[in-house]
Amino acid sequence: MTTIDDSELSAAASGNAASDRFALDKGGFDSVKNTPVERVDMLAREVLTAVHETIRKHQVTYPEYNALKAWLIKLGHDGEWPLFLDVWVEHALEEVTTAHRKGNKGTIEGPYYVPNAPELGPDATMPMREDERGDRLVWDGTITSLDGSPLAGKVEVWHADDDGLYSQYAPGLPVWNLRGTVSTGPDGKFKISTIRPQPYMIPTDGACGQLIAAAGWHAWRPAHVHFKVSAPGHELVTGQLYFPGDPHNADDVACAVKPELMLDPKPQPDGSYMVIYDFVLDPVRG
Ligand code: MBD
Ligand code: FE
């Protein structure tokens, strides 16, 4: 496995890093080994039928078909299957799999999560460079169960830096930069000091960027802070928090913004921002 630091900042470098990461953490088919043949048949057939219907409806040509083939081959070469799926497909999955929750539902995970980030106490400063640029952000919160009782749990946090870059997916950053695992005590409380990330542009020099340019779309996601919140006996909540006023809150390329994920940062006299955001976790269904 090549590491990102052998590479240039490019779509293929971040794409292949995301593909390698996926293979390491989630790449097996084991989790669906008991899926009945009828369900595979139904899902595959309905997706293919939707493709056939699009071809008939719009009289798709051979040059267009060959462009699709070339594009899919390039998507693989660039390692951008995780990026493509997480940007344009994951939001629908997230919607159907969290609809039952009474507590926080969250939003998509995206391609840049890395497990086992450094463990920090309940009063945490995110790993960052001494000269890390960006406005300071201090986030206070509590994890509780649906019935209001506090939970000893974990808040895993990861986000881009002031240049919109994620550690382990762009060269030249410390491995765990702006990635951490914050634990709460029995009172469920945590406090996280970090920097406020900038809007994020998905890589434009690979296959996903080619699609965006050809379709006249844009590549922007609003600034966001990713989280995974967990506690024993409760459903894991994966999501992202957003900042009011971001120009891309209303047209996120990944369709992952929800009003309940909007922060309310309060500017402080020293130029930093303070914010409170709490989590309510659903007990696992018995
Ligand atoms: C990201 O940082 C992200 O959160 C998503 C969903 C897709 C690409 C990059
Ligand atoms: Fe992200």
Side-chain angles (χ1 to χ4, degrees):
M1 180 169 139
T2 54
T3 75
I4 198 81
D5 279 305
D6 307 331
S7 321
E8 303 285 294
L9 178 60
S10 68
S14 65
N16 284 301
S19 292
D20 288 351
R21 183 82 251 163
F22 179 80
L24 269 179
D25 298 337
K26 304 179 183 159
F29 295 104
D30 284 2
S31 56
V32 290
K33 66 175 186 287
N34 296 323
T35 302
V37 67
E38 293 78 13
R39 182 167 169 84
V40 180
D41 169 56
M42 173 185 68
L43 296 177
R45 204 156 24 78
E46 289 193 17
V47 169
L48 291 169
T49 301
V51 173
H52 306 153
E53 279 170 2
T54 303
I55 291 167
R56 290 192 188 102
K57 180 174 171 199
H58 300 290
Q59 299 285 293
V60 171
T61 65
Y62 264 102
E64 288 169 338
Y65 178 60
N66 287 334
L68 172 64
K69 270 195 204 174
W71 184 78
L72 288 169
I73 292 164
K74 181 173 166 56
L75 192 65
H77 276 149
D78 292 343
E80 283 197 331
W81 274 106
L83 181 66
F84 170 69
L85 290 168
D86 295 351
V87 167
W88 286 295
V89 179
E90 191 187 354
H91 64 89
L93 208 90
E94 186 280 322
E95 178 190 317
V96 303
T97 56
T98 64
H100 62 279
R101 288 189 188 156
K102 297 194 172 68
N104 288 68
K105 297 189 203 305
T107 188
I108 66 172
E109 174 174 326
Y112 300 150
Y113 170 66
V114 182
N116 308 313
E119 300 260 354
L120 313 166
D123 188 349
T125 298
M126 292 286 278
M128 66 176 90
R129 293 161 289 184
E130 253 173 45
D131 56 351
E132 194 70 47
R133 282 178 288 113
D135 292 330
R136 303 288 122 173
L137 179 70
V138 180
W139 167 17
D140 265 298
T142 309
I143 313 178
T144 56
S145 187
L146 263 189
D147 66 4
S149 53
L151 292 171
K154 282 186 172 159
V155 186
E156 292 176 87
V157 175
W158 71 103
H159 64 80
D161 68 7
D162 201 52
D163 296 317
L165 300 176
Y166 284 87
S167 59
Q168 303 188 40
Y169 297 92
L173 295 167
V175 194
W176 294 108
N177 211 52
L178 302 174
R179 296 178 181 277
T181 305
V182 180
S183 49
T184 66
D187 63 357
K189 289 191 190 305
F190 62 87
K191 182 188 191 110
I192 302 171
S193 297
T194 188
I195 59 120
R196 198 174 152 157
Q198 288 297 312
Y200 176 83
M201 193 181 68
I202 71 165
T204 52
D205 61 317
C208 290
Q210 194 182 20
L211 171 62
I212 285 170
W217 301 342
H218 73 76
W220 289 95
R221 299 215 58 227
H224 57 279
V225 173
H226 292 268
F227 60 81
K228 278 183 182 285
V229 180
S230 55
H234 289 75
E235 289 193 26
L236 169 72
V237 179
T238 298
Q240 311 175 21
L241 298 170
Y242 303 94
F243 299 87
D246 190 293
H248 296 292
N249 281 335
D251 68 348
D252 177 12
V253 64
C255 300
V257 180
K258 302 179 186 180
E260 70 268 26
L261 297 168
M262 204 54 66
L263 292 171
D264 183 17
K266 305 277 193 227
Q268 302 300 300
D270 67 356
S272 69
Y273 291 85
M274 295 247 315
V275 77
I276 296 174
Y277 195 91
D278 300 325
F279 297 103
V280 179
L281 270 48
D282 283 58
V284 289
R285 294 177 287 181

